[in-house]
Amino acid sequence: MPPDRARRWGQRACVVLLLAIMGCSASGVSLRPDGSPGPQECSEDALKTMRILRMRVSDSADVELDANQIDARPITLYDGPVESYLDSQLGMLEAGTRLYGRVWTGGPQVVVRYYEAHPPDGDVVPICAVARLGKGQLRKRPDSKPGTAILDYSGASVFVVNAFR
C-alpha cells in the first residue's frame, strides 16, 4: 500500500474509533449494578417521528431479534449493536422494516432497546421501542457466557415506549 494511502486509511481508522468512543459515552445510559441499562429519555425527534408514523405507546408487533439468526433455535445475542427484523406492521412501519438498537446481557434477562427504524423503501428514522416476551422468555439460559445471552427463541414482540425505564 502506498504510504499516503496507508496514512489516509490510518486517519480514517482513528476517526472511526474516536466516533465510536464518543458514541458510547454520549449515549447517556447508566448501568444498574446487575449490568442492565438504567432509565433513558427518548429524543424529541423520536417522539415526533413516532407521532407522525402513528406509533403510540404500547403498540406492538412481532420481531426477529437478530436479522442474521431468523428462525434459529437457540440464538445467541451479544452485548452491543443489533439489527432486528419487523415481522408485522407497527404503526405505519411495514413488515420487513429493520430495527437498529442495542443489546445488554448483563442482567438476568436480555434488554433490547431500539433507537432507529429503516423501512424497506424509506429513510432511517428515530424511534423508541423495546423487545419483550412474556413469562420471562427473554431470560438468558444458564449456559450463556459473559457478554452473551443464549435465548431459546429468535422472535419476540417489540413495544413502542416514550422513555426507557
Side-chain angles (χ1 to χ4, degrees), residues 1 4 10 39 44 55 57 62 71-72 82-85 103 105 118-119 134 136 149 152 155 157 163:
M1 182 179 297
D4 54 327
E44 286 300 318
M55 296 169 58
V57 171
D62 295 328
D71 291 331
V82 68
E83 177 185 5
S84 298
Y85 182 86
V103 174
T105 65
H118 190 183
D152 289 324
S157 295

Side-chain angles (χ1 to χ4, degrees), residues 128-142:
C128 287
V130 296
R132 292 186 182 135
L133 198 54
K135 300 181 183 177
Q137 294 177 2
L138 279 184
R139 188 169 300 278
K140 58 189 185 180
R141 290 184 5 183

Side-chain angles (χ1 to χ4, degrees), residues 51-130:
R51 281 191 300 274
I52 292 168
L53 294 176
R54 298 189 183 125
M55 296 169 58
R56 293 175 302 277
V57 171
S58 80
D59 283 353
S60 65
D62 295 328
V63 67
E64 286 289 331
L65 292 168
D66 185 341
N68 296 311
Q69 300 182 70
I70 293 175
D71 291 331
R73 288 181 103 187
I75 67 166
T76 302
L77 295 179
Y78 299 91
D79 277 323
V82 68
E83 177 185 5
S84 298
Y85 182 86
L86 199 56
D87 280 333
S88 56
Q89 187 168 337
L90 180 62
M92 293 176 68
L93 296 175
E94 63 188 279
T97 295
R98 301 298 175 139
L99 301 179
Y100 297 100
R102 179 153 169 41
V103 174
W104 286 267
T105 65
Q109 290 202 142
V110 176
V111 175
V112 183
R113 293 180 177 175
Y114 295 109
Y115 301 101
E116 294 180 331
H118 190 183
D121 294 327
D123 296 328
V124 173
V125 295
I127 63 167
C128 287
V130 296

